[in-house]
Amino acid sequence: MTSYRKIWLSISLLVMMMLTACNSSEDASKNDKQSKSGQEDVVITNLDHEFTYKEAPKRAVTLNQHATEIMLALGLQDSMVGTAYLDDKILPKFKDAYESIPVLAKEYPSKEVFFEAEPDFAYAGWKSAFTEQTLGTVQELEEAGINTYIQESSNTSTPTMKDVYKDIENIGRIFHVEEKATEVINEMKQEIKKTTSKIGSVETQKNVFVYDSGEEVPRTAAKNNYMTGIITLAGGQNIFNDIEGGWPEVSWEEVVDRNPDVIVIIDYGDIPIEQKEKFLLNKSELADVPAIQNKEIIVLPLSAGAEGIRAPLALQTVSEGLYPDKFQNR
C-alpha cells in the first residue's frame, strides 16, 4: 500500500470515529433528557395561549364542576389539591374521590386561598375564573408558575361534542393519561349512540324552549348554545335556534309566538327548581302554550347542561322527556 493511501485511510477512519462519537454524544444527551423528564414536552394551545408542560402537573386546582368531573373521570384526584364552584352534587361514582380533595370555596376562591394551595395548574370551565377581579389573568398566573386551562368547548361559539372530546384529550395529554382519556371518550360515544339509536327517526320534531332564568324577561339558549346541539341530537328543535348568541334575553311574547311543546328548565343557583316550575305553570301569558297545558317540563341540572362528561346524561334526560314512548322498553 502506498503512503498516500495509508494517509487517506487513516484520515477516513478518524472521521468515522469522530462521527460515531458525535452521534453517541447526541443519543446520550437525548436519553439523558428523556430520563430526566420521563416524557417528551407537551405543548398545548388553549384559547390562543401556548403552554409547554415538561412534566405532568402535581398540584392542580379545578374551578367549575364540569372541569372537576373531567379530572375525576380521568382518575387524577391524586394530582388535585383543591376544587371550587360546584353547581350541584358530584356524580355518585366520583363521590369518594371528590371527598378526598379540599374544597377551597363555594364559588371562586379568593386569591389568598387559591395561592395557599400552592397550585402548579388551574383548570376552569369559564373564562371568568381568570380575571384581575378573580384569581388573576392567564398571563399573571403563568408568571407566578401556574399554567392554566380554560374549557374551550364552554368558551366557543356553537360547541359540538367534538369540542368536548378535544378538551378531554388535551387534559389527558397534559397529565400523560392519554389512554384513559380515549377510554372516557369512547364510553361517552357509546352512551350517546345508545340513546340516539332509541330515538331513531322522528316524524314531527318537538319544539323546545330552554328556560334558564328571569321573570320580567326570560334568558334562554340560542343558536350558538351547547344546549341547542343536545336538543337537536335528542330529535327536538330549539325554538330560538335562529337567534345569534349563547344565553340571550328574549320576551315572553316571543316564547308564546313560537309555541313550545316542551320546556327544559336549567336547575342551578339559589332559586329552587320547584319555584321556577311553579312560576312558569302560573304565568298567565303562557297559559295556552302546549308545554304548559300538558305540563311537559324537563329539569336539567346546570352540571349536565355544561360541556363535559355529563353529555350522555344530558342527552338521555332530554330525549326521554321529549319522546318517553321510545324509552319504555329499556
Side-chain angles (χ1 to χ4, degrees):
M1 183 181 293
T2 65
S3 56
Y4 174 79
R5 287 182 177 177
K6 288 181 180 179
I7 293 171
W8 177 251
L9 181 60
S10 298
I11 292 173
S12 299
L13 289 171
L14 181 61
V15 169
M16 289 176 65
M17 290 173 65
M18 290 174 66
L19 288 173
T20 301
C22 183
N23 289 335
S24 298
S25 177
E26 288 179 359
D27 290 341
S29 177
K30 183 177 179 181
N31 290 335
D32 184 57
K33 178 183 175 183
Q34 289 179 336
S35 66
K36 287 179 181 178
S37 66
Q39 300 280 350
E40 292 292 332
D41 292 352
V42 174
V43 179
I44 298 287
T45 299
N46 180 226
L47 298 180
D48 299 325
H49 196 105
E50 186 177 283
F51 296 92
T52 298
Y53 295 85
K54 295 187 176 297
E55 60 181 2
K58 295 180 174 62
R59 301 184 62 80
V61 169
T62 54
L63 309 152
N64 305 118
Q65 184 160 352
H66 53 308
T68 298
E69 290 188 340
I70 285 175
M71 290 283 286
L72 296 178
L74 296 178
L76 296 170
Q77 58 269 18
D78 291 341
S79 299
M80 298 169 66
V81 294
T83 67
Y85 225 134
L86 211 65
D87 295 307
D88 47 70
K89 291 182 179 180
I90 205 81
L91 281 172
K93 62 180 178 180
F94 302 139
K95 184 175 181 292
D96 290 342
Y98 175 75
E99 289 179 349
S100 70
I101 306 164
V103 176
L104 303 184
K106 182 179 179 181
E107 296 184 356
Y108 291 139
S110 66
K111 290 182 180 180
E112 291 76 14
V113 170
F114 175 70
F115 279 100
E116 280 177 6
E118 299 181 348
D120 58 5
F121 178 76
Y123 176 19
W126 316 106
K127 290 180 181 178
S128 56
F130 304 130
T131 68
E132 292 180 356
Q133 291 72 37
T134 50
L135 301 178
T137 66
V138 169
Q139 291 77 12
E140 288 171 342
L141 292 174
E142 187 177 20
E143 289 170 4
I146 304 170
N147 282 351
T148 57
Y149 189 89
I150 300 171
Q151 189 83 344
E152 292 198 351
S153 56
S154 297
N155 295 273
T156 189
S157 177
T158 320
T160 65
M161 287 310 305
K162 286 185 179 180
D163 296 313
V164 178
Y165 299 149
K166 181 64 176 178
D167 281 316
I168 297 172
E169 287 175 355
N170 282 342
I171 299 301
R173 288 183 59 210
I174 290 169
F175 285 87
H176 303 303
V177 289
E178 292 92 339
E179 288 187 9
K180 183 62 177 179
T182 300
E183 179 185 321
V184 169
I185 291 168
N186 286 340
E187 287 177 358
M188 291 174 66
K189 288 180 178 179
Q190 289 171 9
E191 289 300 313
I192 287 172
K193 185 177 180 180
K194 187 186 300 183
T195 298
T196 54
S197 296
K198 289 179 180 177
I199 297 168
S201 60
V202 176
E203 292 183 6
T204 305
Q205 285 185 319
K206 289 193 177 181
N207 292 321
V208 182
F209 167 52
V210 179
Y211 177 63
D212 175 84
S213 59
E215 294 191 0
E216 292 299 321
V217 291
R219 186 179 298 279
T220 189
K223 179 180 179 179
N224 308 121
N225 194 291
Y226 174 67
M227 280 303 304
T228 298
I230 293 292
I231 291 166
T232 301
L233 271 177
Q237 177 174 274
N238 181 357
I239 62 172
F240 288 107
N241 66 1
D242 60 332
I243 294 180
E244 296 290 335
W247 293 102
E249 290 183 342
V250 294
S251 69
W252 290 113
E253 290 75 17
E254 288 178 287
V255 176
V256 173
D257 288 344
R258 296 178 185 232
N259 209 34
D261 302 301
V262 179
I263 296 175
V264 174
I265 303 177
I266 305 298
D267 182 18
Y268 73 100
D270 298 326
I271 301 177
I273 188 62
E274 295 80 11
Q275 185 175 327
K276 281 187 174 182
E277 188 170 350
K278 182 178 180 181
F279 167 74
L280 292 173
L281 290 172
N282 291 291
K283 191 163 183 61
S284 58
E285 296 99 312
L286 301 179
D288 295 327
V289 169
I292 297 300
Q293 287 187 329
N294 301 318
K295 294 185 178 181
E296 293 286 348
I297 292 176
I298 300 169
V299 175
L300 190 70
L302 179 61
S303 56
E307 298 81 356
I309 61 164
R310 293 195 185 216
L313 177 60
L315 177 61
Q316 182 180 334
T317 301
V318 174
S319 301
E320 290 181 354
L322 293 182
Y323 307 107
D325 292 346
K326 293 178 179 289
F327 293 85
Q328 285 184 346
N329 299 316
R330 288 189 296 167

